[in-house]
Amino acid sequence: MTPSVPDFGALLRSAERSACHLEMRDSYGEDQVFADWRAGLPVERPEAYDLPEEYTNWAALVRETVGRGVQVRRARVVSEPASAYIRWEHAITERHNVALGEQVRWLPRSKASDLLLPGNDLWLVDDCRVLFHWFSGDGGWAGHEGTEDQAVVKAVAAAFEAVWERAVPHAQYPL
Protein backbone atom coordinates (compact mmCIF):
# COMPACT_ATOMS: atom_id res chain seq x y z
CA MET A 1 0.00 0.00 0.00
CA THR A 2 1.37 3.43 -0.99
CA PRO A 3 1.32 5.96 1.86
CA SER A 4 -0.94 8.92 1.20
CA VAL A 5 0.56 12.28 0.37
CA PRO A 6 -0.81 15.09 2.55
CA ASP A 7 -3.21 17.64 1.10
CA PHE A 8 -0.83 20.56 0.72
CA GLY A 9 -3.70 22.75 -0.46
CA ALA A 10 -5.48 22.32 2.85
CA LEU A 11 -2.22 22.76 4.75
CA LEU A 12 -1.27 26.05 3.09
CA ARG A 13 -4.83 27.34 3.06
CA SER A 14 -4.90 26.83 6.83
CA ALA A 15 -1.88 29.14 7.28
CA GLU A 16 -2.71 32.60 8.55
CA ARG A 17 0.78 34.10 9.06
CA SER A 18 3.56 31.74 8.06
CA ALA A 19 4.40 28.47 6.35
CA CYS A 20 8.00 27.29 6.66
CA HIS A 21 9.40 24.30 4.80
CA LEU A 22 12.62 22.64 5.95
CA GLU A 23 14.22 20.32 3.38
CA MET A 24 17.26 18.25 4.35
CA ARG A 25 17.65 15.54 1.70
CA ASP A 26 19.93 15.60 -1.34
CA SER A 27 17.41 13.76 -3.52
CA TYR A 28 13.66 13.27 -3.60
CA GLY A 29 13.28 10.77 -6.39
CA GLU A 30 12.72 11.41 -10.06
CA ASP A 31 9.96 13.13 -11.99
CA GLN A 32 9.62 14.19 -15.62
CA VAL A 33 10.89 17.75 -15.10
CA PHE A 34 14.04 16.48 -13.40
CA ALA A 35 14.54 13.94 -16.21
CA ASP A 36 14.06 16.68 -18.81
CA TRP A 37 16.59 18.92 -17.03
CA ARG A 38 19.10 16.07 -16.96
CA ALA A 39 18.49 15.66 -20.70
CA GLY A 40 19.42 19.32 -21.22
CA LEU A 41 15.98 20.89 -21.64
CA PRO A 42 15.67 24.49 -20.31
CA VAL A 43 13.15 23.75 -17.54
CA GLU A 44 14.13 26.92 -15.66
CA ARG A 45 12.92 29.16 -18.50
CA PRO A 46 9.14 29.75 -18.65
CA GLU A 47 9.31 30.89 -22.28
CA ALA A 48 11.01 27.65 -23.33
CA TYR A 49 9.48 24.92 -21.17
CA ASP A 50 5.91 24.32 -19.99
CA LEU A 51 5.75 22.80 -16.52
CA PRO A 52 3.29 19.94 -15.96
CA GLU A 53 -0.03 20.40 -14.21
CA GLU A 54 1.23 19.36 -10.75
CA TYR A 55 3.76 22.21 -10.93
CA THR A 56 1.25 24.79 -12.15
CA ASN A 57 -1.18 23.71 -9.43
CA TRP A 58 1.57 24.24 -6.83
CA ALA A 59 2.32 27.66 -8.33
CA ALA A 60 -1.31 28.71 -8.03
CA LEU A 61 -1.45 27.50 -4.42
CA VAL A 62 1.69 29.40 -3.42
CA ARG A 63 0.51 32.59 -5.16
CA GLU A 64 -2.85 32.28 -3.39
CA THR A 65 -1.15 31.73 -0.03
CA VAL A 66 1.31 34.60 -0.41
CA GLY A 67 -1.53 36.76 -1.74
CA ARG A 68 -3.34 36.32 1.58
CA GLY A 69 -0.30 37.80 3.34
CA VAL A 70 1.20 34.50 4.49
CA GLN A 71 5.01 34.48 4.57
CA VAL A 72 6.23 31.32 2.83
CA ARG A 73 9.86 30.41 3.59
CA ARG A 74 11.80 27.39 2.36
CA ALA A 75 15.19 26.42 3.81
CA ARG A 76 17.29 23.73 2.18
CA VAL A 77 20.18 22.02 3.98
CA VAL A 78 22.37 20.55 1.24
CA SER A 79 25.58 18.65 0.75
CA GLU A 80 28.45 20.14 -1.24
CA PRO A 81 29.34 19.41 -3.88
CA ALA A 82 25.66 19.32 -4.68
CA SER A 83 23.89 16.25 -6.05
CA ALA A 84 22.32 16.41 -9.50
CA TYR A 85 18.92 16.71 -7.83
CA ILE A 86 19.99 19.76 -5.79
CA ARG A 87 21.57 21.38 -8.86
CA TRP A 88 18.23 20.89 -10.65
CA GLU A 89 16.29 22.33 -7.70
CA HIS A 90 18.61 25.32 -7.68
CA ALA A 91 18.11 25.78 -11.43
CA ILE A 92 14.31 25.93 -11.14
CA THR A 93 14.01 27.71 -7.76
CA GLU A 94 13.79 31.21 -9.25
CA ARG A 95 10.95 30.14 -11.56
CA HIS A 96 9.20 27.65 -9.34
CA ASN A 97 9.56 29.22 -5.88
CA VAL A 98 10.95 32.75 -5.73
CA ALA A 99 8.86 34.16 -8.59
CA LEU A 100 5.75 32.89 -6.80
CA GLY A 101 6.58 34.78 -3.60
CA GLU A 102 8.46 32.15 -1.61
CA GLN A 103 11.64 33.14 0.15
CA VAL A 104 14.29 30.45 -0.32
CA ARG A 105 17.62 29.99 1.42
CA TRP A 106 20.35 27.35 1.16
CA LEU A 107 22.58 26.09 3.97
CA PRO A 108 25.58 23.90 3.17
CA ARG A 109 25.42 20.82 5.38
CA SER A 110 28.99 21.54 6.55
CA LYS A 111 27.72 24.74 8.17
CA ALA A 112 24.90 22.95 10.02
CA SER A 113 26.95 20.53 12.14
CA ASP A 114 26.40 22.42 15.38
CA LEU A 115 22.64 22.87 14.84
CA LEU A 116 20.07 20.60 16.42
CA LEU A 117 17.85 19.61 13.52
CA PRO A 118 14.79 17.35 13.31
CA GLY A 119 15.28 13.96 11.72
CA ASN A 120 12.79 14.62 8.94
CA ASP A 121 11.77 17.27 6.45
CA LEU A 122 8.77 19.27 7.56
CA TRP A 123 6.31 22.10 7.21
CA LEU A 124 5.80 24.44 10.18
CA VAL A 125 2.54 26.40 9.96
CA ASP A 126 1.86 29.52 12.04
CA ASP A 127 4.34 28.33 14.69
CA CYS A 128 1.60 26.08 16.06
CA ARG A 129 1.63 22.85 14.03
CA VAL A 130 4.14 20.69 12.22
CA LEU A 131 3.77 18.20 9.39
CA PHE A 132 6.76 15.84 9.21
CA HIS A 133 7.57 14.06 5.93
CA TRP A 134 9.15 10.64 5.60
CA PHE A 135 11.03 9.45 2.54
CA SER A 136 12.50 6.13 1.52
CA GLY A 137 16.24 5.79 1.05
CA ASP A 138 15.91 6.44 -2.70
CA GLY A 139 13.83 9.58 -2.17
CA GLY A 140 10.33 8.16 -2.68
CA TRP A 141 7.43 9.33 -0.57
CA ALA A 142 7.01 7.16 2.56
CA GLY A 143 4.43 9.03 4.66
CA HIS A 144 3.79 11.90 6.99
CA GLU A 145 2.67 12.76 10.49
CA GLY A 146 1.35 15.97 11.99
CA THR A 147 1.62 17.28 15.51
CA GLU A 148 0.56 20.29 17.54
CA ASP A 149 2.57 19.21 20.58
CA GLN A 150 3.94 22.54 21.75
CA ALA A 151 7.31 21.15 22.87
CA VAL A 152 7.84 19.67 19.38
CA VAL A 153 6.57 22.81 17.66
CA LYS A 154 8.89 24.99 19.74
CA ALA A 155 11.91 22.78 18.97
CA VAL A 156 11.08 22.72 15.24
CA ALA A 157 10.59 26.49 15.14
CA ALA A 158 13.96 27.04 16.83
CA ALA A 159 15.66 24.65 14.40
CA PHE A 160 14.10 26.32 11.37
CA GLU A 161 15.08 29.80 12.56
CA ALA A 162 18.66 28.66 13.25
CA VAL A 163 18.92 27.30 9.71
CA TRP A 164 17.25 30.39 8.25
CA GLU A 165 19.57 32.79 10.05
CA ARG A 166 22.68 30.97 8.84
CA ALA A 167 21.50 30.11 5.32
CA VAL A 168 22.30 31.99 2.13
CA PRO A 169 19.48 33.65 0.15
CA HIS A 170 18.81 31.90 -3.14
CA ALA A 171 20.11 34.73 -5.36
CA GLN A 172 23.45 34.67 -3.52
CA TYR A 173 23.93 30.90 -3.35
CA PRO A 174 26.20 29.80 -6.19
CA LEU A 175 25.98 26.36 -7.71
Side-chain angles (χ1 to χ4, degrees):
M1 178 175 172
T2 302
S4 67
V5 176
D7 181 348
F8 289 110
L11 179 71
L12 289 185
R13 286 184 184 101
S14 75
E16 296 177 5
R17 297 175 310 284
S18 65
C20 301
H21 192 189
L22 182 59
E23 298 177 347
M24 298 182 292
R25 295 182 53 89
D26 288 322
S27 179
Y28 291 90
E30 179 121 2
D31 74 0
Q32 189 59 52
V33 180
F34 180 40
D36 287 348
W37 176 82
R38 288 193 319 163
L41 296 178
V43 301
E44 69 279 4
R45 295 186 14 230
E47 71 281 2
Y49 184 90
D50 291 328
L51 292 171
E53 184 178 5
E54 67 189 63
Y55 282 72
T56 58
N57 289 345
W58 175 256
L61 177 61
V62 172
R63 281 193 193 101
E64 171 193 319
T65 302
V66 170
R68 292 186 293 107
V70 175
Q71 182 182 48
V72 179
R73 297 186 294 164
R74 181 182 302 261
R76 293 176 169 146
V77 179
V78 297
S79 297
E80 292 180 324
S83 67
Y85 191 95
I86 294 301
R87 290 192 315 274
W88 165 68
E89 276 193 330
H90 190 272
I92 67 166
T93 291
E94 182 63 38
R95 174 185 185 179
H96 189 63
N97 304 100
V98 175
L100 307 177
E102 282 190 50
Q103 299 171 52
V104 179
R105 293 188 181 182
W106 303 81
L107 181 63
R109 194 172 309 284
S110 62
K111 301 210 182 314
S113 296
D114 62 336
L115 299 180
L116 299 177
L117 299 177
N120 296 293
D121 287 14
L122 59 91
W123 278 94
L124 169 66
V125 177
D126 292 333
D127 288 325
C128 65
R129 62 191 172 282
V130 177
L131 181 66
F132 291 105
H133 302 304
W134 307 315
F135 295 91
S136 64
D138 63 2
W141 183 258
H144 62 276
E145 177 181 40
T147 185
E148 294 182 9
D149 179 294
Q150 287 306 292
V152 174
V153 170
K154 184 177 177 181
V156 164
F160 183 88
E161 292 305 326
V163 168
W164 190 257
E165 181 178 305
R166 197 172 286 186
V168 178
H170 174 70
Q172 298 167 10
Y173 186 70
L175 266 188

PDB file of all heavy atoms in Angstrom, residues 135-159:
ATOM      1  N   PHE A 135      10.657   9.893   3.870  1.00  0.00           N
ATOM      2  CA  PHE A 135      11.033   9.451   2.537  1.00  0.00           C
ATOM      3  C   PHE A 135      11.798   8.149   2.637  1.00  0.00           C
ATOM      4  O   PHE A 135      12.474   7.890   3.626  1.00  0.00           O
ATOM      5  CB  PHE A 135      11.903  10.509   1.847  1.00  0.00           C
ATOM      6  CG  PHE A 135      11.163  11.786   1.588  1.00  0.00           C
ATOM      7  CD1 PHE A 135      11.178  12.815   2.518  1.00  0.00           C
ATOM      8  CD2 PHE A 135      10.428  11.952   0.426  1.00  0.00           C
ATOM      9  CE1 PHE A 135      10.476  13.990   2.304  1.00  0.00           C
ATOM     10  CE2 PHE A 135       9.718  13.122   0.197  1.00  0.00           C
ATOM     11  CZ  PHE A 135       9.744  14.141   1.141  1.00  0.00           C
ATOM     12  N   SER A 136      11.704   7.361   1.594  1.00  0.00           N
ATOM     13  CA  SER A 136      12.496   6.129   1.525  1.00  0.00           C
ATOM     14  C   SER A 136      13.939   6.505   1.218  1.00  0.00           C
ATOM     15  O   SER A 136      14.240   7.655   0.880  1.00  0.00           O
ATOM     16  CB  SER A 136      11.938   5.209   0.440  1.00  0.00           C
ATOM     17  OG  SER A 136      12.079   5.828  -0.825  1.00  0.00           O
ATOM     18  N   GLY A 137      14.833   5.539   1.308  1.00  0.00           N
ATOM     19  CA  GLY A 137      16.235   5.792   1.046  1.00  0.00           C
ATOM     20  C   GLY A 137      16.520   6.318  -0.347  1.00  0.00           C
ATOM     21  O   GLY A 137      17.450   7.083  -0.546  1.00  0.00           O
ATOM     22  N   ASP A 138      15.686   5.947  -1.336  1.00  0.00           N
ATOM     23  CA  ASP A 138      15.908   6.436  -2.697  1.00  0.00           C
ATOM     24  C   ASP A 138      15.109   7.696  -3.008  1.00  0.00           C
ATOM     25  O   ASP A 138      15.036   8.125  -4.151  1.00  0.00           O
ATOM     26  CB  ASP A 138      15.630   5.340  -3.726  1.00  0.00           C
ATOM     27  CG  ASP A 138      14.176   4.880  -3.721  1.00  0.00           C
ATOM     28  OD1 ASP A 138      13.352   5.427  -2.956  1.00  0.00           O
ATOM     29  OD2 ASP A 138      13.866   3.956  -4.490  1.00  0.00           O
ATOM     30  N   GLY A 139      14.515   8.305  -1.983  1.00  0.00           N
ATOM     31  CA  GLY A 139      13.832   9.577  -2.171  1.00  0.00           C
ATOM     32  C   GLY A 139      12.346   9.486  -2.438  1.00  0.00           C
ATOM     33  O   GLY A 139      11.692  10.510  -2.608  1.00  0.00           O
ATOM     34  N   GLY A 140      11.775   8.295  -2.459  1.00  0.00           N
ATOM     35  CA  GLY A 140      10.335   8.156  -2.677  1.00  0.00           C
ATOM     36  C   GLY A 140       9.536   8.541  -1.443  1.00  0.00           C
ATOM     37  O   GLY A 140      10.029   8.473  -0.310  1.00  0.00           O
ATOM     38  N   TRP A 141       8.320   8.944  -1.669  1.00  0.00           N
ATOM     39  CA  TRP A 141       7.429   9.332  -0.568  1.00  0.00           C
ATOM     40  C   TRP A 141       7.153   8.122   0.315  1.00  0.00           C
ATOM     41  O   TRP A 141       6.844   7.044  -0.177  1.00  0.00           O
ATOM     42  CB  TRP A 141       6.117   9.881  -1.136  1.00  0.00           C
ATOM     43  CG  TRP A 141       5.208  10.356  -0.054  1.00  0.00           C
ATOM     44  CD1 TRP A 141       4.122   9.702   0.434  1.00  0.00           C
ATOM     45  CD2 TRP A 141       5.320  11.559   0.687  1.00  0.00           C
ATOM     46  NE1 TRP A 141       3.550  10.430   1.442  1.00  0.00           N
ATOM     47  CE2 TRP A 141       4.265  11.581   1.620  1.00  0.00           C
ATOM     48  CE3 TRP A 141       6.202  12.621   0.672  1.00  0.00           C
ATOM     49  CZ2 TRP A 141       4.069  12.634   2.517  1.00  0.00           C
ATOM     50  CZ3 TRP A 141       6.008  13.666   1.557  1.00  0.00           C
ATOM     51  CH2 TRP A 141       4.950  13.660   2.463  1.00  0.00           C
ATOM     52  N   ALA A 142       7.251   8.285   1.641  1.00  0.00           N
ATOM     53  CA  ALA A 142       7.011   7.165   2.558  1.00  0.00           C
ATOM     54  C   ALA A 142       5.942   7.464   3.601  1.00  0.00           C
ATOM     55  O   ALA A 142       5.515   6.563   4.310  1.00  0.00           O
ATOM     56  CB  ALA A 142       8.311   6.755   3.255  1.00  0.00           C
ATOM     57  N   GLY A 143       5.496   8.715   3.717  1.00  0.00           N
ATOM     58  CA  GLY A 143       4.427   9.030   4.657  1.00  0.00           C
ATOM     59  C   GLY A 143       4.636  10.360   5.343  1.00  0.00           C
ATOM     60  O   GLY A 143       5.570  11.104   5.055  1.00  0.00           O
ATOM     61  N   HIS A 144       3.731  10.635   6.275  1.00  0.00           N
ATOM     62  CA  HIS A 144       3.791  11.900   6.991  1.00  0.00           C
ATOM     63  C   HIS A 144       3.064  11.770   8.324  1.00  0.00           C
ATOM     64  O   HIS A 144       2.286  10.832   8.540  1.00  0.00           O
ATOM     65  CB  HIS A 144       3.176  13.027   6.166  1.00  0.00           C
ATOM     66  CG  HIS A 144       1.720  12.804   5.873  1.00  0.00           C
ATOM     67  ND1 HIS A 144       1.294  12.028   4.820  1.00  0.00           N
ATOM     68  CD2 HIS A 144       0.600  13.231   6.490  1.00  0.00           C
ATOM     69  CE1 HIS A 144      -0.031  12.012   4.811  1.00  0.00           C
ATOM     70  NE2 HIS A 144      -0.475  12.725   5.813  1.00  0.00           N
ATOM     71  N   GLU A 145       3.335  12.725   9.201  1.00  0.00           N
ATOM     72  CA  GLU A 145       2.672  12.762  10.493  1.00  0.00           C
ATOM     73  C   GLU A 145       2.631  14.203  10.978  1.00  0.00           C
ATOM     74  O   GLU A 145       3.636  14.912  10.911  1.00  0.00           O
ATOM     75  CB  GLU A 145       3.433  11.908  11.504  1.00  0.00           C
ATOM     76  CG  GLU A 145       2.847  11.942  12.897  1.00  0.00           C
ATOM     77  CD  GLU A 145       3.637  11.091  13.879  1.00  0.00           C
ATOM     78  OE1 GLU A 145       4.883  11.104  13.815  1.00  0.00           O
ATOM     79  OE2 GLU A 145       2.999  10.433  14.699  1.00  0.00           O
ATOM     80  N   GLY A 146       1.493  14.625  11.462  1.00  0.00           N
ATOM     81  CA  GLY A 146       1.345  15.973  11.989  1.00  0.00           C
ATOM     82  C   GLY A 146       1.301  15.977  13.498  1.00  0.00           C
ATOM     83  O   GLY A 146       0.938  14.975  14.123  1.00  0.00           O
ATOM     84  N   THR A 147       1.709  17.117  14.063  1.00  0.00           N
ATOM     85  CA  THR A 147       1.618  17.285  15.505  1.00  0.00           C
ATOM     86  C   THR A 147       1.397  18.748  15.850  1.00  0.00           C
ATOM     87  O   THR A 147       1.839  19.642  15.125  1.00  0.00           O
ATOM     88  CB  THR A 147       2.882  16.759  16.228  1.00  0.00           C
ATOM     89  OG1 THR A 147       2.676  16.855  17.645  1.00  0.00           O
ATOM     90  CG2 THR A 147       4.120  17.554  15.846  1.00  0.00           C
ATOM     91  N   GLU A 148       0.710  18.962  16.954  1.00  0.00           N
ATOM     92  CA  GLU A 148       0.562  20.289  17.541  1.00  0.00           C
ATOM     93  C   GLU A 148       1.158  20.311  18.944  1.00  0.00           C
ATOM     94  O   GLU A 148       0.958  21.276  19.681  1.00  0.00           O
ATOM     95  CB  GLU A 148      -0.907  20.705  17.551  1.00  0.00           C
ATOM     96  CG  GLU A 148      -1.464  20.894  16.138  1.00  0.00           C
ATOM     97  CD  GLU A 148      -2.904  21.365  16.114  1.00  0.00           C
ATOM     98  OE1 GLU A 148      -3.464  21.723  17.177  1.00  0.00           O
ATOM     99  OE2 GLU A 148      -3.486  21.377  15.009  1.00  0.00           O
ATOM    100  N   ASP A 149       1.904  19.266  19.287  1.00  0.00           N
ATOM    101  CA  ASP A 149       2.571  19.211  20.582  1.00  0.00           C
ATOM    102  C   ASP A 149       3.491  20.423  20.686  1.00  0.00           C
ATOM    103  O   ASP A 149       4.421  20.581  19.896  1.00  0.00           O
ATOM    104  CB  ASP A 149       3.369  17.910  20.685  1.00  0.00           C
ATOM    105  CG  ASP A 149       4.115  17.789  21.997  1.00  0.00           C
ATOM    106  OD1 ASP A 149       5.039  18.602  22.226  1.00  0.00           O
ATOM    107  OD2 ASP A 149       3.797  16.873  22.769  1.00  0.00           O
ATOM    108  N   GLN A 150       3.235  21.272  21.672  1.00  0.00           N
ATOM    109  CA  GLN A 150       3.943  22.545  21.747  1.00  0.00           C
ATOM    110  C   GLN A 150       5.437  22.401  21.995  1.00  0.00           C
ATOM    111  O   GLN A 150       6.229  23.227  21.532  1.00  0.00           O
ATOM    112  CB  GLN A 150       3.295  23.462  22.781  1.00  0.00           C
ATOM    113  CG  GLN A 150       1.963  24.022  22.309  1.00  0.00           C
ATOM    114  CD  GLN A 150       2.083  24.716  20.956  1.00  0.00           C
ATOM    115  OE1 GLN A 150       2.709  25.762  20.838  1.00  0.00           O
ATOM    116  NE2 GLN A 150       1.500  24.121  19.911  1.00  0.00           N
ATOM    117  N   ALA A 151       5.868  21.366  22.675  1.00  0.00           N
ATOM    118  CA  ALA A 151       7.307  21.147  22.867  1.00  0.00           C
ATOM    119  C   ALA A 151       7.966  20.825  21.525  1.00  0.00           C
ATOM    120  O   ALA A 151       9.057  21.323  21.219  1.00  0.00           O
ATOM    121  CB  ALA A 151       7.552  20.031  23.875  1.00  0.00           C
ATOM    122  N   VAL A 152       7.310  20.016  20.699  1.00  0.00           N
ATOM    123  CA  VAL A 152       7.841  19.670  19.377  1.00  0.00           C
ATOM    124  C   VAL A 152       7.810  20.894  18.475  1.00  0.00           C
ATOM    125  O   VAL A 152       8.791  21.201  17.790  1.00  0.00           O
ATOM    126  CB  VAL A 152       7.044  18.503  18.753  1.00  0.00           C
ATOM    127  CG1 VAL A 152       7.482  18.236  17.319  1.00  0.00           C
ATOM    128  CG2 VAL A 152       7.188  17.247  19.604  1.00  0.00           C
ATOM    129  N   VAL A 153       6.702  21.615  18.485  1.00  0.00           N
ATOM    130  CA  VAL A 153       6.570  22.814  17.658  1.00  0.00           C
ATOM    131  C   VAL A 153       7.657  23.830  18.017  1.00  0.00           C
ATOM    132  O   VAL A 153       8.309  24.399  17.133  1.00  0.00           O
ATOM    133  CB  VAL A 153       5.162  23.433  17.803  1.00  0.00           C
ATOM    134  CG1 VAL A 153       5.094  24.811  17.151  1.00  0.00           C
ATOM    135  CG2 VAL A 153       4.100  22.499  17.215  1.00  0.00           C
ATOM    136  N   LYS A 154       7.876  24.028  19.287  1.00  0.00           N
ATOM    137  CA  LYS A 154       8.889  24.990  19.737  1.00  0.00           C
ATOM    138  C   LYS A 154      10.283  24.568  19.275  1.00  0.00           C
ATOM    139  O   LYS A 154      11.069  25.388  18.793  1.00  0.00           O
ATOM    140  CB  LYS A 154       8.847  25.110  21.261  1.00  0.00           C
ATOM    141  CG  LYS A 154       9.790  26.141  21.813  1.00  0.00           C
ATOM    142  CD  LYS A 154       9.645  26.249  23.329  1.00  0.00           C
ATOM    143  CE  LYS A 154      10.660  27.240  23.882  1.00  0.00           C
ATOM    144  NZ  LYS A 154      10.567  27.355  25.337  1.00  0.00           N
ATOM    145  N   ALA A 155      10.603  23.292  19.401  1.00  0.00           N
ATOM    146  CA  ALA A 155      11.908  22.785  18.966  1.00  0.00           C
ATOM    147  C   ALA A 155      12.076  22.927  17.458  1.00  0.00           C
ATOM    148  O   ALA A 155      13.149  23.325  16.974  1.00  0.00           O
ATOM    149  CB  ALA A 155      12.081  21.332  19.400  1.00  0.00           C
ATOM    150  N   VAL A 156      11.035  22.601  16.699  1.00  0.00           N
ATOM    151  CA  VAL A 156      11.083  22.717  15.239  1.00  0.00           C
ATOM    152  C   VAL A 156      11.235  24.179  14.834  1.00  0.00           C
ATOM    153  O   VAL A 156      12.039  24.509  13.947  1.00  0.00           O
ATOM    154  CB  VAL A 156       9.829  22.080  14.606  1.00  0.00           C
ATOM    155  CG1 VAL A 156       9.650  22.513  13.161  1.00  0.00           C
ATOM    156  CG2 VAL A 156       9.903  20.567  14.709  1.00  0.00           C
ATOM    157  N   ALA A 157      10.492  25.064  15.463  1.00  0.00           N
ATOM    158  CA  ALA A 157      10.591  26.491  15.136  1.00  0.00           C
ATOM    159  C   ALA A 157      12.002  27.010  15.403  1.00  0.00           C
ATOM    160  O   ALA A 157      12.565  27.755  14.591  1.00  0.00           O
ATOM    161  CB  ALA A 157       9.558  27.290  15.927  1.00  0.00           C
ATOM    162  N   ALA A 158      12.597  26.619  16.509  1.00  0.00           N
ATOM    163  CA  ALA A 158      13.963  27.039  16.829  1.00  0.00           C
ATOM    164  C   ALA A 158      14.952  26.490  15.802  1.00  0.00           C
ATOM    165  O   ALA A 158      15.861  27.210  15.358  1.00  0.00           O
ATOM    166  CB  ALA A 158      14.340  26.586  18.237  1.00  0.00           C
ATOM    167  N   ALA A 159      14.777  25.250  15.398  1.00  0.00           N
ATOM    168  CA  ALA A 159      15.665  24.648  14.401  1.00  0.00           C
ATOM    169  C   ALA A 159      15.531  25.380  13.070  1.00  0.00           C
ATOM    170  O   ALA A 159      16.541  25.704  12.431  1.00  0.00           O
ATOM    171  CB  ALA A 159      15.350  23.162  14.241  1.00  0.00           C
TER     172      ALA A 159
END
